[in-house]
Amino acid sequence: MIKNDLFLRALKGETVERPPVWMMRQAGRYLPEFIALRDKYDFFTRCQTPELASEITVQPIRRIAPDAAILFSDILVIPQAMGIEVLMKENIGPFLPNPIRTIQDVEKVIVPDIHETLGYVMDAIKMTKEMLNDEVPLIGFAGSPWTIFCYAVEGKGSKSFDQAKGFCFSHPEAAHVLLQKITDTTIAYLKEKVIAGVNAVQIFDSWGGMLSPVDYQEFSWKYINQIVEALAPVTPVIVFGKGCWFALGEMGRSKASALGVDWTCSPRNARYLSGGEITLQGNFDPSRLLSPIPVIKKMVHEMIDEFGKDKYIVNLGHGILPNIPVDHAKAFIDAVKEYKA
């Protein structure tokens, strides 16, 4: 039994004394102990070495004590497993030297054996679970098929992902074949994560907001929903679509247990658009963690008041920034723990 099960209770919509809190990218760039490991080991070595991934996962639990841990990994381990080369370049970020640009490229992409290609993730989960000792739940995650598709076709990060969108609109059949391959791989991957011991999963649709509402339904949501349908019987599923407020209604009718909301959508609008029944997660602007600590605490309490303490998980509206002082991150967590309804 998990000793602190606030997060899991909120996912079920139960009444809680206060909402749970965790932060996207909490295992990472703002922590000095993470930076020490980053300076010693390259990015994918950290992802692929279970001892390092588990250590990084528990660092924020020791330091700022959120109500859930999220496994240190990356969404781009999926295309790597599918035979697409992914590098992490200094000051550039993800770089795919051979992006997918033709129907022939799509045909070469494999749906892999998860144990052969991503077994190291399952080892990291088992190791992390031992280190956590059932203190808090562990979250596993994956990128949405559309978000993975964006990197696979564009070859790197982008402000607009024109190449990826162009491929969808000029070669829709090939685009759907690739999206389905990514979806099938992701379902198998997340199911294995659940077997390995994660207590919930989150799907990150980082680039969903690049699409129009109509195109979102065709090229993103229908694939996310396949994952939700496949995973909901075995674990709670959180869907976080950045810039996807227009899809909250559709998402709210799905089998997802919770929906992430970014900081551009007010709590009131998020409740209204999602139908008012589903648990919501978010949506503090990560940059706001640069505010003075008393301001952070005041704003967190106001945010909880607006969302309501039940059917709510406190989080940022996107990942924590590298330049956030650790005491400001801790103040965010502490503010939630100090909350009185």
Side-chain angles (χ1 to χ4, degrees):
M1 290 296 291
I2 305 285
K3 291 167 196 147
N4 173 356
D5 64 349
L6 262 183
F7 171 73
L8 299 175
R9 286 165 57 205
L11 284 174
K12 289 180 190 156
E14 292 177 12
T15 302
V16 289
E17 48 280 19
R18 67 161 174 89
V21 57
W22 67 281
M23 289 187 288
M24 291 183 274
R25 285 218 172 116
Q26 68 187 12
R29 313 166 289 181
Y30 69 105
L31 285 174
E33 52 268 51
F34 172 84
I35 292 163
L37 289 175
R38 183 193 68 191
D39 292 346
K40 210 167 163 187
Y41 305 98
D42 73 73
F43 182 77
F44 283 116
T45 298
R46 279 174 275 140
C47 288
Q48 292 164 3
T49 309
E51 293 79 2
L52 294 175
S54 55
E55 167 60 24
I56 292 166
T57 302
V58 300
Q59 283 176 347
I61 307 303
R62 297 183 196 127
R63 178 70 83 122
I64 58 171
D67 295 308
I70 182 162
L71 187 75
F72 176 75
S73 186
D74 195 79
I75 63 171
L76 296 176
V77 299
I78 288 270
Q80 280 181 331
M82 298 175 75
I84 301 168
E85 189 181 1
V86 182
L87 309 171
M88 199 58 78
K89 286 206 167 178
E90 200 66 40
N91 304 320
I92 295 175
F95 179 74
L96 292 76
N98 304 300
I100 299 207
R101 297 287 166 81
T102 66
I103 293 159
Q104 291 72 27
D105 291 340
V106 171
E107 284 166 357
K108 286 182 201 149
V109 175
I110 61 161
V111 174
D113 178 304
I114 299 299
H115 291 284
E116 279 176 24
T117 54
L118 292 163
Y120 63 86
V121 178
M122 312 315 147
D123 293 341
I125 290 168
K126 289 167 191 165
M127 215 169 269
T128 303
K129 290 290 285 185
E130 277 182 37
M131 290 170 79
L132 288 172
N133 193 28
D134 289 336
E135 291 296 331
V136 293
L138 178 62
I139 305 164
F141 70 90
S144 73
W146 163 252
T147 292
I148 302 301
F149 177 97
C150 279
Y151 285 110
V153 176
E154 200 82 24
K156 58 184 189 299
S158 165
K159 285 192 164 62
S160 56
F161 286 102
D162 295 338
Q163 294 261 23
K165 289 169 77 170
F167 190 78
C168 286
F169 306 148
S170 56
H171 304 290
E173 284 181 18
H176 283 301
V177 169
L178 180 54
L179 284 161
Q180 191 60 55
K181 284 183 176 184
I182 298 167
T183 303
D184 294 344
T185 303
T186 304
I187 288 169
Y189 174 58
L190 289 176
K191 281 186 170 176
E192 286 302 325
K193 280 189 164 180
V194 174
I195 292 165
V198 300
N199 304 101
V201 298
Q202 175 156 315
I203 301 163
F204 284 86
D205 196 10
S206 306
W207 305 124
M210 298 282 172
L211 293 165
S212 73
V214 171
D215 291 331
Y216 187 78
Q217 290 298 324
E218 182 178 352
F219 295 103
S220 188
W221 176 250
K222 80 176 191 186
Y223 295 102
I224 292 173
N225 198 41
Q226 282 185 45
I227 300 169
V228 173
E229 291 276 332
L231 269 294
V234 293
T235 196
V237 182
I238 305 167
V239 177
F240 171 63
K242 188 169 183 289
C244 300
W245 59 268
F246 54 79
L248 284 171
E250 191 88 28
M251 291 174 175
R253 291 188 291 275
S254 74
K255 290 179 183 167
S257 292
L259 304 178
V261 185
D262 70 39
W263 66 92
T264 63
C265 186
S266 70
R268 186 177 173 184
N269 280 348
R271 285 278 180 220
Y272 172 74
L273 292 167
S274 63
E277 293 302 312
I278 194 165
T279 295
L280 296 178
Q281 176 179 279
N283 70 339
F284 203 75
D285 182 344
S287 302
R288 266 291 180 182
L289 291 179
L290 292 165
S291 300
I293 283 175
V295 175
I296 293 171
K297 291 197 167 188
K298 178 174 178 282
M299 289 182 73
V300 167
H301 290 163
E302 288 169 353
M303 178 173 75
I304 299 170
D305 285 339
E306 285 181 54
F307 274 104
K309 76 171 175 66
D310 293 326
K311 293 188 179 174
Y312 177 47
I313 297 162
V314 181
N315 206 318
L316 304 175
H318 204 224
I320 189 168
L321 301 167
N323 59 334
I324 301 300
V326 176
D327 57 340
H328 286 226
K330 188 164 188 332
F332 177 80
I333 302 290
D334 289 347
V336 183
K337 294 183 176 182
E338 292 158 10
Y339 179 78
K340 301 278 188 289

